[in-house]
Amino acid sequence: LGLALYAGATFLYHDYCIIGAGPAGLQAAYFLQQAGRDYVVFERSHAPGSFFALYPRHRKLISINKQYTGKSNSEFNLRHDWNSLLSHDRRLLFRHYSRDFFPSADTMVHYLEDFASLLKLQVQYNTAIIHVTLEKNEQAWNGHYFLLTDQDRKNYKCSSLLVAAGMWVPNVVNFPGSEYVEGYETVSINPEDFTGQTVLILGRGNSAFETAENILGVTNFIHMVSRSRVRLSWATHYVGDLRAINNGLLDTYQLKSLDGLLEGDLEDLAIIKDKKGKLHITLRFYLENRNISAGIDSITLPQDELDNFATRAPYDRVIRCLGWKFDFSIYNRSLKMMPGKGNIKKYPQIKPSYESRGTRGLFILGTASHSVDFRKSAGGFIHGFRYTTRAVHRLLENRHHGVPWPSTVYPITQLTNSIIKRVNEASGLYQMFSVLADIILLRENATAFEYLEEYPIGVLAELEMQTGRKAHNGLFVIIMEYGRNFSGADKDVFYYNRAVGEAQHAWQSNFLHPVIYYYKHLPTERGMKLRPPDWPLPRPDAIHHIVEDFLTDWTAPNAHILPLRRFLENCLSTDLRNFFAESCFLFAFTHQKLPPFCQQGYLRMQGLVGSQELQQHAVQAGLLQDYTHTDFSGDRPPDSHDGSQEQLVTDHAIPVRPLQHLVNAKDE
Amino acid sequence: MSAQKDRWVSSLVFLLFCASSIPRSGSVGLQQELSPQHYFSGLEAGKASLAFFTPSVSPGAQPFLEQIESSAEALQDYGISVVKVNCPREDVSRYCGKENALRKAFLFRGNRLIREFPTDALFDVNSIVANVLFALLFNEVKYVETLADLENAENVLKGKSNMVFAYVPATGTAEHRAVMEAAFVYGTIHQFVLTTEAALLKATSHDDPDVSSAWLLFCHCQWATDPAQPCRRTALGQPLTLLNIHRHLKLMGAPLVTEVAEDPEKVSTVHLQLGLPLVFILSQKETYEADRRTAEFVAWQLLGKAGVALLSRDLVDLNVLHRSNIALKTPDEGMPVQYLVLEDTDEVITLVEDKNKAKQIQEDEEEEEDEDEKENNNQDIQDDQVVEAVSRDKKRELPLEQVLVLTEKNFQSSLSEAARTVVLFYASWEAVSLAVLRSYSEVATQLKGTPGVLLSQVNCWDWPGLCSQENVTQFPTIKIYKEGQRSVTYNGMWGTEELSSFILLSRVSCPLTLTTMDEAEGYLRGEFPSELSTHHHTSFLGVFSTATSEARAAFEEAGNILSGYVRMGMYFEDDALALSRKYSVSPPALLLARSGGRSVEGIALSKHSLQDMVQMIRYELLDIFPEITVPNLPQYLQLRKPFLILFSADGISQMESKEMLKVAKGRAQQAFVACWLNLKKTPVGHGILRKYFSTTPSLPVLLWVNLHAGGQVFKFPPEQSITEMNILSWLEKLQAGLEIPSSTLSEEDWKPPLPAYDFLQMMEPSVPELSPRSGDTSVPHPPKSPGGDTATEEEPSRESTAEEVGFPGRDLRGTASRLAVRDKQGKRHSEL
């Protein structure tokens, strides 16, 4: 912490400033604190998670809090824990805070308070940043400093700005009569207030359905209007779409035509209040060139011309549940903080590295960073952005502190294992599918490799610069994917044969499954731009899909590991099989070169001797020759094809075992 | 091989093409339908055509018509058109009018009728082609019935041209067709003679022939001069197919002996192109005439099996042994030319025949494999011996009662329970881990009740945090924790014996500080400390005076590194000097007591660096004339020296051992590793010998194996006795390059055993945008279709087909029936 004098004003200096002490801000603070960096978090409220203190209004979080998975693997269990932030502290797992599958928002507030205090994060509460501007300075990390001003005109100066302010400005639509509309932020959550009423809800997201769910039992009926059709999250595989827990209204609509959904542009609407206080829906079109003050009787209603007009019944209340947008207002124009285009206009424009497109050194974290994977992955939600925040921190460590992206170097014999381990337990890959990827950088001659976890694939081309690691000898990219054309609001996700069981058809897998891309050279910026539409990555030199699995357990030796090994072997042009010490012994005397497993194990005196039983099994399988009963009486005919060891060496056919098929099909 | 096959297949096709020089009618509409007038007016002189007349569809002739139709294409190759003539109802001419004419086919050349065939002679494509060609090639192919006819034909040809004599069990067979097709091409070069008489077959072949199979002889009559003698004959050793006959005739047409004057590596003859080996007779000016005769003799013997070339060494500078007289070049690409010293011509012939036999077997296998490949490719069959062995063993319950299961919760507390805690970190899904777990459970049973040692395991799939906290990045890893403090990572063989030895040795600190002279003496005798008294192992005792602290520090550090592998003790009391004097060294010194209780050696410590110390101790652990076993080989391989290795059936005699030891200790000690291998104890040695010699030689056998340079294997002459003198003089000859290696270790790289699924290629048809853009040029993307995707439209059909097949998505019902039809219904999403 330092003091700086600038144009008569005093600045408090920090390397890193974080705006917002919500989940993303606290998560970023945690990583900075662990790395020993100089940072501060500004929070406008007196406690962390102020959004959750108010929202969701009906207090039920729709992020799951799975208590039991039958597994003790802490990394795997995070796949089904959508509320916890990442930390080393075991106490800070959400399941210690709530036993509810869908916990209360109050618990989240409590959790965030604990997270900030137990980890002693540097949060400055009651500090609302109301203005952010830049100060050019060639000495600064990014060529400029960020100057922040709070509500008390106190000034702060930072080298890097992490915006984790969330999305809290309600989306409002203006149309004639919109003054009669109540907002989600303030509408009553007491169902009794709606007894015997007819309600129109604008919007079709989770907040709209949550509001409807709450009053469904006491209203006459509820109608919902929005521009686009309803998107069910189990069909789109996107957690931000309508979740099953909120969709009770769909039942009454489809079964009894009681409540209903309508599609229409809200901008075309108009609402008129009659003398009894009932609200009538009409179209803006009818109101034009007309004097509204003349009273309702002079206004044409659609049912005057079309007597079966759908929303002809008058409503008692109209509720707006249209979601939120990012607060662009506090940023000086010099920061070029621009809204996105199309359906991501509520988010600020950022690069796939989460850095602002307008300002170097400004990163957007948390919900507001969702433009990268909007309607695809989980980057707008705690269980997703806790990983993207870690990725941003790793980028910053490399950029500003010369700490390269963490990696582990393994001998090539561990290649299959390291992939299998990660695809089975990694949570970041699983939550942030098709966004974060594990990267394997091959060393020269493919005798060793370096493993990097959870790198944002959008900036794959910049990998060397962003991570400080070298990718001269080719690389593997490991991501998780849903099947192409499987997800969508209008897709039948229950069709017969939706699941693939055979490894050889793995590329047609529909459910989330691991995919490995192999590149001989790091893809270029241009290659990334020219990638096929809907592809997370450009065309690889080879690709492998591990077949989808009903248990998401990709450890079956024949269905999962064997095809993966063959893929890796063919990419590297080597033999990655394991061998018992005896086989290595034979190879050492009969070959000038040894397979990697013998080279890196047996030759270094770490041969796999194998128990008697195992050796017998291998002999029975025809993969090991038993020489103990060999007679060596002398001249035998040349046995060019009777030794099964020979088979192993020259890879001749191995007898097919009927059981093979059962092993493969275990996932069904 | 297949490439070669292709080559001569294509050359044959080319020949056929040239032979059928008669222009074809525009379209290959093989079978024209004409009226009789049209047909007869359109006949060209010299052009052959096969005609059949049909009034209307007569049901009896139907199968015959089908065969005629399908043979039309084959006949077209020989310029013979096949014509169907429609007889008008009222026509009563020669061909159309008579009822029985309609059951025949007629062969015309121009408008001359050559032969009429009853339809029962034309039962399939082979018989049609064979009979038609037989009729047309009346002059080129002589049919003989008696031995006298054959001899007459032979005598006429002597000195003029060669003869091809074929026996077929019957006309109209596939073999008959092959002979006729060959005659069509070669009929102008050689005289073809055909018979179906079994008696003739018996007269022309040596042993009892099988009259049911065809037989072809090439009779070298062109060079035959003696009218009394029959021409030399070379039989076709393979089934009579067009390709085989073609290949045989090509070989017969090649010069008997080729004279070459260039490096054999560069020579290529028709034999090599046809996949046969080429034998070079290495000749010199002085012996040229004799060599030429030898070459011709050998060439006659090998005719059809290999080519023979005569290479004059005076003209080519060959970098091979002077004694070499034969070179063998095989058609396999990349195989070097082999130079050999052979005693007589029989050896040459045996050599070639063995090679061909081995190759034949290999080819058969390859063919089998090819067939498999089409069906399955075996990609989904496990070929990893460890994975397969472990999965076959997975149902057996391991005796792990002695092994404590550690978790994140009890890890720290358990470590403090015993003096030494051994922890196996493994992953329950990983094969090598599970293989080691099996050995580990055996260790646990063995060490049951050993005080001060606790065996435990951590499953890193359950507790990844614990494993990364303990710095375990690879599976499996074994660590020994000393009272919950420092840990030592095991990096020895994953075998039961090695592991338990490590654990037992680790109980005593390394190096162990000895405080009295008695302890030190007891230590060297292997009696102290009592924990290790049952454990036979080489002991190192470092003796230091107080002044030599630098060496002592290095020794202690070396002890940490070698802990568990080596017995190390340390003595630095005041009487250290007296102790070391006993073994005629002075401190700092190392006293070495080898296992087996031989005398104690004293070694002065001159180098004090840690690395030197470790290196030296490791080196001292090696034997001078060790028995090589699976576990100890790597230690000797690290010396990177050639091996002089004696393979024995079971133990070695005192005499051999003495002589070998002399060799090992001799002046050449630095240059190679002298060792022996007990085939009874290390049966995999049989595998090595088989690889070297293809048969197990008589034992014991002494070999020189250049493991690290060149990979040649030399065999000590079996007729000599294994004595120091004989060995040394043999080694000298080896160094001088006077010996020929018996075998050479394969230099092959370890390539992927089988291909992977090519998903990229499979995806391409359904994801067109995936297709590679050449040179990554900026081809704009095809615009997305405005309707989004088409999958929804497809859904109904997808559903209905699915129901027909009865596949219940992720339903468990019907899993068994699905498994049964899996193979047929491989592609389930084929419509995608």
Side-chain angles (χ1 to χ4, degrees), chain B residues 722-734:
Chain B
I722 296 176
T723 63
E724 186 191 5
M725 255 226 303
N726 286 345
I727 296 170
L728 289 179
S729 73
W730 176 61
L731 290 183
E732 254 169 52
K733 269 202 261 171
L734 277 187

Side-chain angles (χ1 to χ4, degrees), chain A residues 200-204 223-227 262-264 266 269:
Chain A
L200 179 71
I201 296 177
L202 309 180
R204 191 158 294 173
H223 285 166
M224 300 178 88
V225 186
S226 79
R227 187 184 299 129
L262 295 149
E263 282 80 42
L266 297 182
L269 281 189

